[in-house]
Amino acid sequence: MNNNDIFKKLRVALMLRDDQIVEILELVDFRMSKGEIGNLFRNEDHANFMECGDQVLRNFLNGLVIHLRGTKEAPKIPTEVLAKHRAEIPPRTEKFPKDIGTKGGATGTPKPTFKKKPASNPKSREKKPAPKVQVVEKVKYNNGKNKKS
């Protein structure tokens, strides 16, 4: 696991955006642009991928301590800071809004109508046992012994 992986996992776990990471780095007087931070989170095979050095990760961790705990003069409670981050995240919207395809919706086309199928009989859905097919005829084995009866 390299520094990029650690940085990615911290970003996801703490729900941080790139602009918040820039602010955290500025707490320890370390300047990085949002573009440079975006390059740290790219795939290794991407042309703009940038290796996260020890200095970047060290400064981020030091800034994160100040961001979450505060300073001696102005201490903070870390759980409140994290709750504030959660509150800033907009709620997820549906992938397909309900008003698409309805009258007066985004497309302006009327909503298609579908006929309901009648309820089927639940007994007809039960699986019927398949009839047994005898592949080999019954053979009596006597283990190589000739028995005379």
Side-chain angles (χ1 to χ4, degrees):
M1 184 181 267
N2 58 16
N3 289 345
N4 292 64
D5 295 334
I6 294 169
F7 207 175
K8 285 178 193 176
K9 289 181 184 296
L10 284 170
R11 182 181 107 182
V12 171
L14 298 172
M15 295 176 281
L16 297 172
R17 296 185 315 265
D18 288 346
D19 57 337
Q20 291 172 328
I21 293 172
V22 169
E23 291 172 9
I24 289 171
L25 288 171
E26 287 178 359
L27 291 174
V28 289
D29 296 327
F30 190 81
R31 308 275 186 258
M32 272 187 95
S33 68
K34 286 173 64 173
E36 289 175 315
I37 290 172
N39 290 339
L40 295 174
F41 299 124
R42 295 187 186 276
N43 287 335
E44 291 180 14
D45 56 345
H46 194 276
N48 293 335
F49 172 76
M50 190 169 81
E51 188 74 29
C52 179
D54 293 338
Q55 183 181 11
V56 175
L57 188 61
R58 183 185 68 234
N59 283 308
F60 173 73
L61 292 174
N62 288 335
L64 188 63
V65 169
I66 295 171
H67 176 72
L68 293 176
R69 294 186 195 165
T71 60
K72 284 186 178 181
E73 297 81 29
K76 297 180 186 175
I77 299 173
T79 54
E80 291 178 1
V81 175
L82 294 175
K84 181 182 169 190
H85 286 299
R86 283 191 200 109
E88 289 177 358
I89 297 173
R92 291 181 69 174
T93 58
E94 293 181 24
K95 192 171 187 176
F96 300 105
K98 293 179 183 178
D99 63 344
I100 291 179
T102 60
K103 289 184 179 179
T107 58
T109 58
K111 184 177 179 180
T113 57
F114 298 102
K115 294 182 181 177
K116 287 187 175 180
K117 289 184 177 180
S120 62
N121 188 356
K123 289 184 179 180
S124 66
R125 283 188 258 151
E126 293 176 7
K127 291 187 176 181
K128 297 177 183 174
K132 275 193 167 180
V133 179
Q134 197 169 10
V135 178
V136 181
E137 58 189 53
K138 291 187 177 181
V139 178
K140 183 178 178 185
Y141 295 99
N142 51 5
N143 298 329
K145 298 179 184 175
N146 293 331
K147 290 188 178 179
K148 293 181 184 176
S149 9

